[in-house]
Amino acid sequence: MKNDRKLVVIALGGNAIKQADEIGTAYEQFRNVAITCKQLVKMNELGYKLILTHGNGPQAGNLLIQQEEAKQIVPPQPLDVCGAMTQGQIGYMFQNQLQNFFRKKGKNIPITTVITQVLVSKDDPDFDDPTKPVGPFYTKDQAMELNKTKGYIVKQVRPNGEKQWRRVVPSPDPIGIIEANCIKALVKARAIIIASGGGGIPVVEKSDGQLVGIEAVIDKDKAGQKLAEVVDADIFLILTNIENAYLNYSMPNQKKLGEISISQAEKYLREGHFLSGSMGPKMLACIRFIKAGGERAIITSLDRAIDTLQGNAGTHIVP
Amino acid sequence: MKNDRKLVVIALGGNAIKQADEIGTAYEQFRNVAITCKQLVKMNELGYKLILTHGNGPQAGNLLIQQEEAKQIVPPQPLDVCGAMTQGQIGYMFQNQLQNFFRKKGKNIPITTVITQVLVSKDDPDFDDPTKPVGPFYTKDQAMELNKTKGYIVKQVRPNGEKQWRRVVPSPDPIGIIEANCIKALVKARAIIIASGGGGIPVVEKSDGQLVGIEAVIDKDKAGQKLAEVVDADIFLILTNIENAYLNYSMPNQKKLGEISISQAEKYLREGHFLSGSMGPKMLACIRFIKAGGERAIITSLDRAIDTLQGNAGTHIVP
């Protein structure tokens, strides 16, 4: 039995926290987060219940560089622990800024970040051929050394420059949200929750049932979809740097997509209209959400989010 | 109206996560956390509802060193953000290990970490004379440079060695827990919650009501007490590296303290029986808890925690 207020899970892109031309000071990040939160507060005022999830690429990247630079003095933490750290970091910024917007309006709303582990299958095919680059760039020699000493899988990721190599890790599919019951309890208490940041802390279930963190990065839109599914959200909203998805994007015959059915979305995805590192996983996440029983999945930009929820913008995927 | 299961807020010392002779690898920390969690699971089985809080000294120290080493490449984050990062880091380790102990027993218990801001007064006297050392040691020249360029307050903290100086920050008193309503909602949902790690993320309320993170460190036992107070806990349990508090500690006439009244505790504290950087703030936190209406405050060691809850060990402060 659904409550009358619709529950929206919002997946925020990296630009909601750190712009590409910024170095990532706390000042910059709080400012960007504030811009995002202003829109989130409007959604709350429109009557939506909110759960946020977000990327952590730039923050995890910075942390990995810091760990690298200090590795002679301080032991670097593995990727699962780094992911947990960025969940705390970014979550704090969102809950602080959201809280402040509501305080301005004299509203006392429970808001918090839930540190979230996301289950992946230890048999996920992505473990066989990791493709997600993480951390600093290395010279070939450094990369080979890391492969030898730490077992890192390394790949050449750019054709020139002094440092062309990076570590790559698997990006397995999310199959469960370990803290789902906590998040549901908070939704019930009418809280705004920040969860599954950076795609969640990836854990596998060993044959004895124990959950073990792994060195991997889950796509944040896919993890956001799984989160939206397990909390029984009505709407899954992906906010990115573009207002709509397109057919034949950046070609003369490009066509903006408004509301499309799940079968149209599947057809367009199959036909290769959406870039694999960009709109592709977003569209796939939307398709999965509708297949799992969701009412509406939306892709749009932050500044059109309100218009979009009112049906006047964005790309909508519906059953 | 209280539930029949007693609610215990447990404040864990740094040794619950990183031993003094360890460098702080993830492996070491997960192992220590597992040892602690084994006792916490027993408490759960005795029928107690649990909220954990913990220190973050070694983890924040390591993170500050990493930030320092990479500062030419990556902008260091301020202390409030670093605190949030260690809440995510340590919280993840606890929720993962606790979850695993319960999974072994076939139990599905909601467990999560709540990123927690702790309110302090902007007029706290500790802002006038900061005393809490944080981050790396510096030479006098480095310290003076940091004072000039970044406004750090620096103090000579040891009499010899190459680097004798450290940054010091205020350690203000906690006066509120911003996420109290979320924590209460999770208690109601019978979750085990990790909250206010590292004493919480210190925030002040500006005259316009906005909450702003500050460069300070709140004592984790004092913050734990405030947490225990606002969630209306029955018992506040401080786990440290010693089984009891003592009168005339380490003197020939030292006397182990069992159950004492709040007036006895206040008298002993006034008389200077408890070290200011160690047992002093713990005893003060216990006194505050009882004054705020708590039923029982306890100081003991991890390995005696169960005996202590059954009344057979530890120092108990009662009304």
Side-chain angles (χ1 to χ4, degrees), chain A residues 23-26 29-30 62-63 65-67 69-70 73-78 80-81 84-85 88-89 92-93 95-96 99-100 103-104 108-117 178-179 181-182 185-186 189 191 201 203 205 209-213, chain B residues 23-26 29-30 62-63 65-67 69-70 73-78 80-81 84-85 88-89 92-93 95-96 99-100 103-104 108-117 178-179 181-182 185-186 189 191 201 203 205 209-213:
Chain A
I23 58 170
T25 64
Q29 297 188 65
F30 269 108
N62 277 356
L63 181 56
I65 291 169
Q66 291 170 329
Q67 303 229 18
E69 292 295 311
I73 316 174
V74 170
Q77 300 296 306
D80 56 330
V81 176
M85 294 174 80
Q89 172 184 21
Y92 158 51
M93 293 179 179
Q95 72 195 69
N96 175 270
Q99 196 62 261
N100 279 342
R103 288 170 79 96
K104 268 185 205 160
N108 177 18
I109 293 185
I111 306 170
T112 198
T113 303
V114 164
I115 298 296
T116 315
Q117 304 174 86
I178 305 299
E179 286 75 17
N181 38 19
C182 294
L186 288 166
I201 304 163
V203 297
E205 185 175 358
Q210 298 288 283
L211 300 174
V212 179
Chain B
I23 58 169
T25 64
Q29 296 188 65
F30 269 108
N62 277 356
L63 181 55
I65 291 169
Q66 290 170 329
Q67 304 229 17
E69 292 295 311
I73 317 174
V74 170
Q77 301 296 305
D80 55 331
V81 176
M85 294 174 79
Q89 173 184 21
Y92 157 52
M93 293 180 180
Q95 74 195 68
N96 175 270
Q99 196 63 262
N100 278 342
R103 287 171 79 96
K104 267 184 206 161
N108 177 18
I109 293 184
I111 306 170
T112 197
T113 302
V114 165
I115 299 295
T116 316
Q117 304 174 87
I178 303 300
E179 287 75 17
N181 38 18
C182 295
L186 287 166
I201 304 164
V203 296
E205 185 175 359
Q210 298 288 283
L211 299 175
V212 179

Side-chain angles (χ1 to χ4, degrees), chain A residues 53-297:
Chain A
T53 187
H54 57 80
N56 73 343
Q59 294 75 22
N62 277 356
L63 181 56
L64 289 170
I65 291 169
Q66 291 170 329
Q67 303 229 18
E68 177 88 12
E69 292 295 311
K71 69 181 174 196
Q72 306 298 340
I73 316 174
V74 170
Q77 300 296 306
L79 274 187
D80 56 330
V81 176
C82 290
M85 294 174 80
T86 62
Q87 285 189 359
Q89 172 184 21
I90 300 167
Y92 158 51
M93 293 179 179
F94 274 103
Q95 72 195 69
N96 175 270
Q97 291 299 304
L98 269 178
Q99 196 62 261
N100 279 342
F101 275 107
F102 286 116
R103 288 170 79 96
K104 268 185 205 160
K105 295 170 185 286
K107 286 188 187 170
N108 177 18
I109 293 185
I111 306 170
T112 198
T113 303
V114 164
I115 298 296
T116 315
Q117 304 174 86
V118 173
L119 186 64
V120 302
S121 166
K122 59 186 187 319
D123 303 319
D124 192 287
D126 219 69
F127 285 108
D128 299 329
D129 181 25
T131 50
K132 172 79 184 166
V134 293
F137 288 81
Y138 300 106
T139 64
K140 187 173 180 182
D141 284 352
Q142 288 173 325
M144 293 302 142
E145 178 68 18
L146 284 168
N147 173 261
K148 219 174 72 180
T149 56
K150 303 189 90 171
Y152 285 3
I153 297 171
V154 290
K155 281 192 181 159
Q156 187 178 2
V157 292
R158 52 186 185 194
N160 43 41
E162 195 203 339
K163 297 184 171 185
Q164 305 172 5
W165 292 68
R166 280 181 95 183
R167 179 182 183 195
V168 291
V169 297
S171 185
D173 247 9
I175 58 174
I177 307 287
I178 305 299
E179 286 75 17
N181 38 19
C182 294
I183 298 167
K184 284 185 205 168
L186 288 166
V187 170
K188 207 174 154 193
R190 305 207 150 230
I192 297 179
I193 305 113
I194 301 114
S196 189
I201 304 163
V203 297
V204 293
E205 185 175 358
K206 292 199 303 177
S207 51
D208 61 1
Q210 298 288 283
L211 300 174
V212 179
I214 53 160
E215 302 253 7
V217 173
I218 304 169
D219 177 81
K220 73 114 182 29
D221 294 313
K222 289 185 187 167
Q225 182 279 316
K226 183 53 70 178
L227 173 62
E229 178 185 329
V230 300
V231 300
D232 200 20
D234 302 286
I235 299 170
F236 177 49
L237 172 59
I238 298 179
L239 296 182
T240 183
N241 52 3
I242 186 168
E243 193 185 318
N244 288 78
Y246 285 82
L247 299 184
N248 306 307
Y249 183 56
S250 74
M251 314 260 278
N253 62 339
Q254 75 171 21
K255 186 177 166 242
K256 194 189 272 197
L257 291 173
E259 183 170 296
I260 58 175
S261 70
I262 185 168
S263 55
Q264 284 176 298
E266 286 186 304
K267 176 169 171 287
Y268 298 150
L269 182 65
R270 255 194 328 267
E271 289 172 356
H273 282 283
F274 312 118
L275 282 176
S276 68
S278 158
M279 195 55 80
K282 294 183 202 308
M283 193 58 77
L284 180 60
C286 288
I287 291 169
R288 286 181 181 175
F289 179 68
I290 301 300
K291 279 199 169 166
E295 181 181 309
R296 180 172 294 267

